[in-house]
């Protein structure tokens, strides 16, 4: 294909996909020649033909402008949702404001903001050393994960850390996920050229979230954890342990981390504070193996820290003063109580329903007779996750995190109107 054709097709595609919107100005012929590395004659020919085909128009002494207005297809899902006012969202992981002491956190943020000299510089690429040392103590005491601060990398969210990890792994091999719900992790590995598989025990990289294996919050039993650790050691595979929600256990005893069971030789441990603190406090951390930690140090100049330095300083002192331990106890009691209360109300209102609380006490599964279209939930102002609907029985997974306790009865009344 000639350079003229390539340029013509490129600009045409940008216009058709609304990347250059209606009325937008194109670069001048001279500027476009420099941008695309082609002669001015090539640019001029492409512009002339685009104008002849109705995509652009020339304004004397001004330049070329897009004259084509593409027909944008409506997104049925988005438009459908926007037609209804969601009153109660049972799918959200939004925190309940009663679960967090905002005044206490403000004091630590204000204290961090008074450290003028520290805030004049960028954060350390790996994360503030004081925070990494505090995290090292925290995970050793709470999850029996023994790792020095040198092996801990801090970042703004798990997806950001996975990007760092992908860049450290040379061979883009098979990576296995429990299911397709791990969207951010899947997309990150796919973007780096890894082959995505599901429940593939022979994969060289196995991503698991032992304390939240499914949407219903199933917890991986100890027997399965030991089997996975042994299997990965025998096959020289890497296990990525996303320890999300490990502090929330209701129907089972606390379980050991995979990192602790393996001695950390081939397990990469990832933790975050989105549920314990607030989703908006975007601080997560990753414990690398010794081999990958060395490689990270060799390439540290390639990485910038993405987590707020102010929040890192605040969180470090928050942990050292013992508030994180208190927050764990408070949050666990608070959300467990909410879930149990809502489950009791469901059982009372739906005599023919089977109501079950997840092992982490954050979700409720309800199976109940149903003979309507599932659109009825959104029409009723409810957002719910339908796990299954067949043979006149619908299985719903409900999360009450974002719903105030005082509004439980109203929410159940709407749910009952939609189902019965």
């Amino acid at each position: 294909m000639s350079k003229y054709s390539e340029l013509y097709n490129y600009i045409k595609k940008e216009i058709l996909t609304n990347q250059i919107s209606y009325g937008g100005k194109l670069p001048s012929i001279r500027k476009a020649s420099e941008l695309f590395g082609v002669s001015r004659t090539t640019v001029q020919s492409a512009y002339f033909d685009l104008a002849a085909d109705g995509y652009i128009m020339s304004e004397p002494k001004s330049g070329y402008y897009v004259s084509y207005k593409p027909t944008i297809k409506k997104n049925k899902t988005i438009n459908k949702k926007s037609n209804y006012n969601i009153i109660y969202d049972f799918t959200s992981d939004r925190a309940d404001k009663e679960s967090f002491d905002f005044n206490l956190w403000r004091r630590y943020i204000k204290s961090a903001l008074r450290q003028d000299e520290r805030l004049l510089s960028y954060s350390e690429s790996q994360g503030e050393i004081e925070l990494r040392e505090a995290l090292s103590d925290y995970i050793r005491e709470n999850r029996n994960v023994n790792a020095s601060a040198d092996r801990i990398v801090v970042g703004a969210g798990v997806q950001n850390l996975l990007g760092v990890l992908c860049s450290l792994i040379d061979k883009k091999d098979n990576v296995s996920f429990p299911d397709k719900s791990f969207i951010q992790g899947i997309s990150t590995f796919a973007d780096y050229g890894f082959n995505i598989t599901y429940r593939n025990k022979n994969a060289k990289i196995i991503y698991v979230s032992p304390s939240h294996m499914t949407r219903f919050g199933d917890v991986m039993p100890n027997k399965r954890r030991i089997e996975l650790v042994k299997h990965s050691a025998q096959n020289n595979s890497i296990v990525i342990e996303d320890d999300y929600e490990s502090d929330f256990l209701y129907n089972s005893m606390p379980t050991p981390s995979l990192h602790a069971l393996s001695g950390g030789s081939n397990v990469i441990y990832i933790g975050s504070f989105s549920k314990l603190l607030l989703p908006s406090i975007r601080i997560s951390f990753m414990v690398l193996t010794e081999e990958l930690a060395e490689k990270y140090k060799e390439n540290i100049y390639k990485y910038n820290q993405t987590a707020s330095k102010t929040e890192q300083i605040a969180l470090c002192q928050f942990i050292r003063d013992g508030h994180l331990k208190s927050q764990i106890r408070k949050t666990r009691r608070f959300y467990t109580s909410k879930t149990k209360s809502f489950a009791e109300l469901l059982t009372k209102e739906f005599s023919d329903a089977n109501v079950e609380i997840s092992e982490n006490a954050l979700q409720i599964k309800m199976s109940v007779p149903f003979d309507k279209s599932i659109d009825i939930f959104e029409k009723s102002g409810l957002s719910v996750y339908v796990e299954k609907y067949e043979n006149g029985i619908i299985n719903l997974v409900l999360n009450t995190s974002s719903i105030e306790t005082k509004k439980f009865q109203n929410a159940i009344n709407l749910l009952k109107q939609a189902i019965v």
Side-chain angles (χ1 to χ4, degrees), residues 79-177:
N79 286 341
K80 179 181 175 184
K81 288 186 176 181
S82 65
N83 288 335
Y84 305 110
N85 178 31
I86 300 301
I87 303 171
Y88 299 111
D89 188 352
F90 288 101
T91 64
S92 174
D93 284 330
R94 185 175 180 269
D96 189 313
K97 62 183 178 182
E98 293 185 26
S99 70
F100 190 71
D101 189 338
F102 284 90
N103 289 328
L104 177 63
W105 180 246
R106 282 192 197 96
R107 292 206 296 269
Y108 281 93
I109 289 292
K110 288 179 180 178
S111 175
L113 288 172
R114 286 194 290 268
Q115 300 188 37
D116 298 359
E117 289 300 319
R118 288 188 68 180
L119 297 180
L120 291 174
S121 62
Y122 290 108
S123 177
E124 297 175 44
S125 298
Q126 195 169 343
E128 295 301 289
I129 180 61
E130 292 92 343
L131 174 60
R132 287 187 281 121
E133 288 172 346
L135 290 172
S136 176
D137 293 338
Y138 164 73
I139 58 178
R140 182 178 62 255
E141 294 175 10
N142 287 271
R143 301 298 290 142
N144 198 24
V145 173
N146 293 305
S148 65
D150 290 340
R151 286 172 53 197
I152 296 176
V153 179
V154 173
V158 172
Q159 189 171 26
N160 173 269
L161 292 173
L162 291 179
V164 173
L165 178 60
C166 287
S167 70
L168 295 174
I169 300 174
D170 293 325
K171 189 176 180 182
K172 310 306 179 187
D173 218 319
N174 290 338
V175 55
S176 173
F177 285 87

Side-chain angles (χ1 to χ4, degrees), residues 175-200:
V175 55
S176 173
F177 285 87
D179 55 50
K180 294 183 180 180
S181 67
F182 292 77
I183 298 172
Q184 293 185 343
I186 291 170
S187 61
T188 301
F189 276 92
D191 288 345
Y192 276 87
F194 289 85
N195 181 43
I196 307 300
T197 62
Y198 301 98
R199 295 184 178 275
N200 177 10

Side-chain angles (χ1 to χ4, degrees), residues 114-389:
R114 286 194 290 268
Q115 300 188 37
D116 298 359
E117 289 300 319
R118 288 188 68 180
L119 297 180
L120 291 174
S121 62
Y122 290 108
S123 177
E124 297 175 44
S125 298
Q126 195 169 343
E128 295 301 289
I129 180 61
E130 292 92 343
L131 174 60
R132 287 187 281 121
E133 288 172 346
L135 290 172
S136 176
D137 293 338
Y138 164 73
I139 58 178
R140 182 178 62 255
E141 294 175 10
N142 287 271
R143 301 298 290 142
N144 198 24
V145 173
N146 293 305
S148 65
D150 290 340
R151 286 172 53 197
I152 296 176
V153 179
V154 173
V158 172
Q159 189 171 26
N160 173 269
L161 292 173
L162 291 179
V164 173
L165 178 60
C166 287
S167 70
L168 295 174
I169 300 174
D170 293 325
K171 189 176 180 182
K172 310 306 179 187
D173 218 319
N174 290 338
V175 55
S176 173
F177 285 87
D179 55 50
K180 294 183 180 180
S181 67
F182 292 77
I183 298 172
Q184 293 185 343
I186 291 170
S187 61
T188 301
F189 276 92
D191 288 345
Y192 276 87
F194 289 85
N195 181 43
I196 307 300
T197 62
Y198 301 98
R199 295 184 178 275
N200 177 10
K201 66 178 183 179
N202 295 318
K204 284 299 180 182
I205 303 170
I206 302 173
Y207 189 104
V208 291
S209 185
S211 297
H212 194 106
M213 294 174 62
T214 66
R215 186 179 288 271
F216 184 52
D218 292 324
V219 177
M220 183 183 290
N222 283 343
K223 181 180 178 182
R224 172 63 183 135
R225 292 174 187 243
I226 294 170
E227 290 173 350
L228 178 57
V229 166
K230 287 182 178 179
H231 173 82
S232 60
Q234 292 170 356
N235 292 273
N236 196 31
S237 55
I238 295 174
V239 175
I240 301 172
E241 179 181 14
D242 184 344
D243 211 24
Y244 177 64
E245 292 184 354
S246 63
D247 292 297
F248 298 91
L249 292 175
Y250 173 63
N251 290 329
S252 60
M253 297 293 291
T255 52
S257 67
L258 297 174
H259 192 283
L261 291 172
S262 70
S265 58
N266 65 324
V267 175
I268 295 165
Y269 181 90
I270 295 178
S272 66
F273 301 98
S274 58
K275 196 67 184 179
L276 287 174
L277 302 178
L278 292 172
S280 55
I281 300 176
R282 300 290 292 163
I283 298 180
S284 299
F285 61 96
M286 171 172 64
V287 177
L288 296 171
T289 62
E290 291 185 5
E291 180 183 352
L292 288 176
E294 287 300 319
K295 188 171 181 180
Y296 177 87
K297 292 172 189 174
E298 294 171 3
N299 295 274
I300 196 169
Y301 64 92
K302 298 179 181 179
Y303 307 105
N304 289 321
Q305 180 52 241
T306 53
S308 162
K309 187 173 185 177
T310 303
E311 289 189 347
Q312 288 186 65
I313 296 171
L315 180 59
C316 173
Q317 199 57 47
F318 187 86
I319 295 173
R320 286 179 170 175
D321 288 347
H323 292 301
L324 184 57
K325 289 182 179 179
S326 300
Q327 180 65 17
I328 290 173
R329 292 192 295 269
K330 174 185 176 180
T331 308
R332 183 189 294 141
R333 287 196 303 266
F334 179 77
Y335 282 116
T336 297
S337 176
K338 281 190 72 174
T339 305
K340 289 178 67 176
S341 296
F342 196 82
E344 288 171 1
L345 287 173
L346 283 176
T347 303
K348 179 181 177 181
E349 294 291 341
F350 293 88
S351 58
D352 54 352
N354 179 45
V355 178
E356 180 184 354
I357 297 177
S358 64
E359 289 183 271
N360 59 18
L362 296 175
Q363 288 84 26
I364 298 170
K365 182 185 289 186
M366 181 172 74
S367 301
V368 64
F370 184 72
D371 60 0
K372 303 177 184 180
S373 168
I374 61 174
D375 290 345
I376 190 64
F377 294 108
E378 283 190 0
K379 291 178 180 178
S380 301
L382 301 168
S383 178
V384 300
Y385 175 73
V386 179
E387 182 185 46
K388 186 170 63 174
Y389 177 32

